Amino acid sequence: VVEGPFCGAVGTEGCTAVKYDDSRILGWATTCQVERGYTDVANPGSYVSFGDSSMAVGPCDNNNVNVVSLGDGGRATLTFEYPIANGEGYDFAVYENSFNDSFLELAFVEVSSDGEHFVRFPATSLTPTTAQVGPYGSVDPTFINNLAGKYRAGWGTPFDLDELRDSANLDVNNIRYVRVVDVVGSVDPQYGSMDAFGHLVNDPYPTDGYSGGFDLDGVAVLHYERHEGIEEAEETILSLYPNPARNTISCIVSEQVKEVELFDMTGRRMMAVATNGGNTTLNVSNLPRGIYMLRAGSQAKKVVLK
């Protein structure tokens, strides 16, 4: 069996995958905007519809259906509580929901400091293009580098901002946006996506259903920009219940928290309650049912109102 030059599947020697509950994870994306792609770019007309942007916010829960599908060429742009910084080693990781180690739906990853200028990680795909990888076909991860979706569900593909340190219009210690762009895995150059070196990226195609394309499960932060209060990011919300909720939400927060806020998925603040730590209750009975983000200090958690 011929292997490529890059690290292989989860569990193999040298694998760089980051498990969804890895202790290095400091936080997750707090907002997401999705631009859907077609179910099949060669036959445009219908767009994918599985999931919504809220499925990519907050922690990856290793649940294969709690994702948002991007479709052919679709994209998701995510933001974070604090800027991501270029630390030692990998700085963030992107999660997809592949059900095994070889059915790999891939995506390019781009970052931005200002939301206007995005820089793409230099991706490599050495998968042969003599035959199309079919809708349920296999991709060898050892042929893949700097493409999200390299690993199965629950294991993130990590990215190192140091690779982009000389990029124009980019501060690698102040990354506020991460964009995930679905690869169109067709070997027909009329439709297919190219890697950074002019190779067509061959991945399962067409996946022409309502859940086709890259399925985004979350983006984890491994290095934040350092500033006062960042050490508190994991400890400000001590408990949150019930969730899902109907009329009230009770949360226990750490002493340094002065205010608990509730945001809808567009980022609009719906409620703010002053607190000096301890048990805080929010009356949500008059809010529309749906998914919200509860923020306390430097931490945010997803809340469902039903």
Side-chain angles (χ1 to χ4, degrees), residues 77 110-119 169 177 179:
T77 305
E110 303 170 350
V111 295
S112 174
S113 301
D114 59 11
E116 180 180 356
H117 302 93
F118 281 83
V119 178
N169 301 308
Y177 303 86
R179 179 172 288 168

Side-chain angles (χ1 to χ4, degrees), residues 87-296:
E88 183 176 351
Y90 293 109
D91 301 301
F92 66 94
V94 181
Y95 292 75
E96 212 263 351
N97 75 335
S98 175
F99 53 82
N100 64 31
D101 290 319
S102 61
F103 178 70
L104 307 181
E105 295 178 298
L106 303 172
F108 300 112
V109 174
E110 303 170 350
V111 295
S112 174
S113 301
D114 59 11
E116 180 180 356
H117 302 93
F118 281 83
V119 178
R120 178 172 290 185
F121 278 88
T124 306
S125 172
L126 301 179
T127 304
T129 57
T130 51
Q132 177 68 59
V133 175
Y136 296 98
S138 296
V139 175
D140 183 343
T142 67
F143 290 133
I144 298 299
N145 186 56
N146 270 351
L147 283 164
K150 175 168 173 156
Y151 303 115
R152 67 175 186 256
W155 296 83
T157 306
F159 293 85
D160 185 356
L161 290 168
D162 200 54
E163 293 188 44
L164 306 180
R165 65 185 181 278
D166 297 324
S167 302
N169 301 308
L170 188 72
D171 179 355
V172 293
N173 288 307
N174 186 36
I175 299 301
R176 297 178 179 273
Y177 303 86
V178 171
R179 179 172 288 168
V180 180
V181 183
D182 174 76
V183 161
V184 179
S186 173
V187 297
D188 183 342
Q190 182 179 356
Y191 304 111
S193 300
M194 298 281 191
D195 72 4
F197 306 97
H199 310 132
L200 281 165
V201 183
N202 192 2
D203 80 350
Y205 176 85
T207 53
D208 55 349
Y210 71 106
S211 63
F214 188 89
D215 302 303
L216 181 59
D217 201 357
V219 177
V221 180
L222 304 178
H223 290 118
Y224 278 124
E225 180 190 32
R226 303 302 295 181
H227 59 80
E228 185 178 357
I230 194 68
E231 292 81 4
E232 301 163 2
E234 294 181 281
E235 301 296 337
T236 54
I237 301 176
L238 305 180
S239 71
L240 174 66
Y241 61 93
N243 191 14
R246 290 187 182 275
N247 298 312
T248 62
I249 300 170
S250 294
C251 56
I252 300 176
V253 297
S254 54
E255 292 182 359
Q256 68 267 28
V257 173
K258 303 303 180 185
E259 186 177 57
V260 175
E261 302 169 285
L262 194 69
F263 296 83
D264 68 13
M265 297 314 296
T266 70
R268 181 176 54 169
R269 189 168 80 162
M270 307 299 293
M271 185 179 302
V273 178
T275 179
N276 289 314
N279 196 321
T280 302
T281 300
L282 288 76
N283 185 341
V284 295
S285 58
N286 293 324
L287 293 180
R289 305 301 90 179
I291 298 175
Y292 294 81
M293 294 299 297
L294 185 142
R295 181 179 297 170

